[in-house]
Amino acid sequence: MSQLELRPGLADVPVAESAVSFIDGKRARLEYRGIAVETLARESCFEETAWLLLKGDLPTQRELAEFDDQLRHRRRIKYKLKDLIKCLPETGHPMDALQASVAAMGMFYPARDVTNAESNWDSCVRLIAKMPTVVAAFHRLRAGDEAIKPRDDLDHAANFYYMLFEREPSPAVRKVLDACLILHAEHTMNASTFSGRVTGSTLANPYTVISSAIGTLTGPLHGGANEEVLEMLDEIGSIDKVRSWCEDAIANKKKIMGFGHRVYKVKDPRATVLQDLAERVFTDRGKPPQYDMAVEMEKVMIEKLGPKGIYPNVDFYSGIVYQALGIPSDLFTPIFAIARVAGWLAHWLEQMQNNRIYRPEQIYVGKRNAEYVPLAKRA
Ligand code: COA
């Protein structure tokens, strides 16, 4: 018998000390560098929040202006990268296109010396600035349209919207998109962040670190859930079918997308802010039928699974908000990545400050001293 205790999913096993963000799962509290995420969603902008995550403190006016300027001037992607994106299958998922493009970006900007603070900062700025351009370019090119060049006179959120739709967002839509980016920018030691830290711990270059994290985010148990929430609401069809659908799913032990969280045992604070944002978008653009279904579903689910600590998570309302903004559902997870890159990079910088390669233990349950039977003698 092994002395080691296995914790499936590493539940409650610390893997690093971190000062980037904090969650109190019982009190619905999420803080980035000590500041409540609701405050940041209301008062800050994505650029300022990204600086806060990367540097540890809010920027001064001058620091923010310089950072914003650096981001605006690094948005363009190399024409060879655009050619590479053009060659990807248009039926492929944009997350796979983003992962491939970010990995390829590392070949254009070699950043092998991860002990060089200046080069690390350059990589951080490039990755945050260029990922929206890659996602928008793939989206346009797969439809046979021209990719739209980024505009330096627009902020991060507005420019992304512009590159997707070739028109500027209204101030209300810009604010909602910006707040969504802030809400998704960081979330302690989740699967993709851990994956990025593990890759970083081998001293791999930052583009490889972020492409590892993007790959981990693609799965439906992590970033892919918001896309599946809308598919689920479409499958249910109408509000009167919500209760029986939920009862049936629970009886069949089906995982219901957009609910449950390893850490939150109450409603995810980001879901609360997103629901509020959703209602704001609807005053601008009209309320979709999915929203009333979602509200009914939340009611039924809390009644049935609330006592087990299963409540709506960030993905439950985010898809509904993005759909109301006219964003196609397979871009929901890439938008999550465009935001989360700030948190991934903050963790990578932290890992680099005090690095030791990750090399966990296993509990071996296989055969020992097995006999090698020559091929001719095997039955
Ligand atoms: N629907 C129905 N039951 C759920 C559930 C959900 N969304 N999430 C958890 N549960 C139940 C499990 O069936 C399990 O029940 P049991 O103890 O009777 O076996 C219990 O709650 C614990 O779930 P578990 O899967 O062990 O929790 P976890 O911490 O490993 O997983 C998630 C967390 C997020 C992966 C999980 O809640 C989930 O798959 N949610 C749906 C996907 C999703 O929305 N992901 C986005 C996360 S932000």
Side-chain angles (χ1 to χ4, degrees), residues 63-114:
E63 285 168 340
L64 181 58
E66 278 174 15
F67 180 49
D68 187 28
D69 193 58
Q70 287 176 1
L71 287 171
R72 285 173 196 243
H73 287 96
R74 294 260 172 73
R75 286 176 181 161
R76 278 167 189 70
I77 54 174
K78 302 229 180 237
Y79 76 88
K80 280 193 175 175
L81 183 58
K82 201 157 46 160
D83 285 351
L84 184 145
I85 296 171
K86 265 187 203 159
C87 293
L88 297 172
E90 58 274 12
T91 49
H93 198 284
M95 277 300 272
D96 296 327
L98 180 63
Q99 187 186 25
S101 304
V102 167
M105 232 188 259
M107 298 169 78
F108 293 106
Y109 309 105
R112 283 188 205 100
D113 180 8
V114 291

Side-chain angles (χ1 to χ4, degrees), residues 136-155:
F138 178 72
H139 177 61
R140 302 280 308 180
L141 293 168
R142 69 177 169 173
D145 297 326
E146 277 297 307
I148 296 167
K149 286 201 180 77
R151 265 181 47 192
D152 296 351
D153 60 323
L154 297 175
D155 68 17

Side-chain angles (χ1 to χ4, degrees), residues 119-292:
S119 152
N120 286 355
W121 180 250
D122 261 13
S123 304
C124 290
V125 174
R126 259 198 211 102
L127 278 157
I128 296 172
K130 293 187 197 304
M131 278 174 51
T133 316
V134 167
V135 171
F138 178 72
H139 177 61
R140 302 280 308 180
L141 293 168
R142 69 177 169 173
D145 297 326
E146 277 297 307
I148 296 167
K149 286 201 180 77
R151 265 181 47 192
D152 296 351
D153 60 323
L154 297 175
D155 68 17
H156 201 71
N159 173 60
F160 176 57
Y161 185 97
Y162 172 77
M163 290 188 297
L164 284 179
F165 302 116
E166 211 173 6
R167 61 173 190 275
E168 288 180 37
S170 68
V173 167
R174 191 213 70 79
K175 175 65 197 161
V176 167
L177 193 52
D178 189 46
C180 287
L181 294 179
I182 293 172
L183 291 173
H184 286 85
E186 162 60 11
H187 209 232
T188 72
M189 197 59 67
N190 52 84
S192 56
T193 300
F194 182 45
S195 160
R197 282 187 86 129
V198 171
T199 306
S201 80
T202 70
L203 304 186
N205 80 63
Y207 300 91
T208 307
V209 169
I210 298 305
S211 77
S212 291
I214 294 170
T216 309
L217 187 67
T218 56
L221 295 187
H222 194 3
N226 54 10
E227 211 177 316
E228 301 215 4
V229 168
L230 282 182
E231 282 168 22
M232 175 180 77
L233 293 172
D234 283 348
E235 184 197 313
I236 299 173
S238 60
I239 193 162
D240 54 305
K241 300 201 181 101
V242 167
R243 181 168 285 273
S244 58
W245 191 94
C246 290
E247 285 169 353
D248 197 46
I250 294 166
N252 288 305
K253 296 222 159 277
K254 203 173 151 191
K255 280 272 170 72
I256 300 167
M257 291 296 130
F259 286 87
H261 201 275
R262 175 66 60 80
V263 187
Y264 295 117
K265 299 304 163 203
V266 292
K267 186 168 175 178
D268 183 331
R270 299 165 301 167
T272 307
V273 179
L274 274 162
Q275 189 174 5
D276 188 44
L277 290 173
E279 286 177 5
R280 260 201 262 168
V281 183
F282 303 149
T283 14
D284 221 40
R285 304 195 157 205
K287 189 160 65 162
Q290 285 97 336
Y291 182 67
D292 287 335

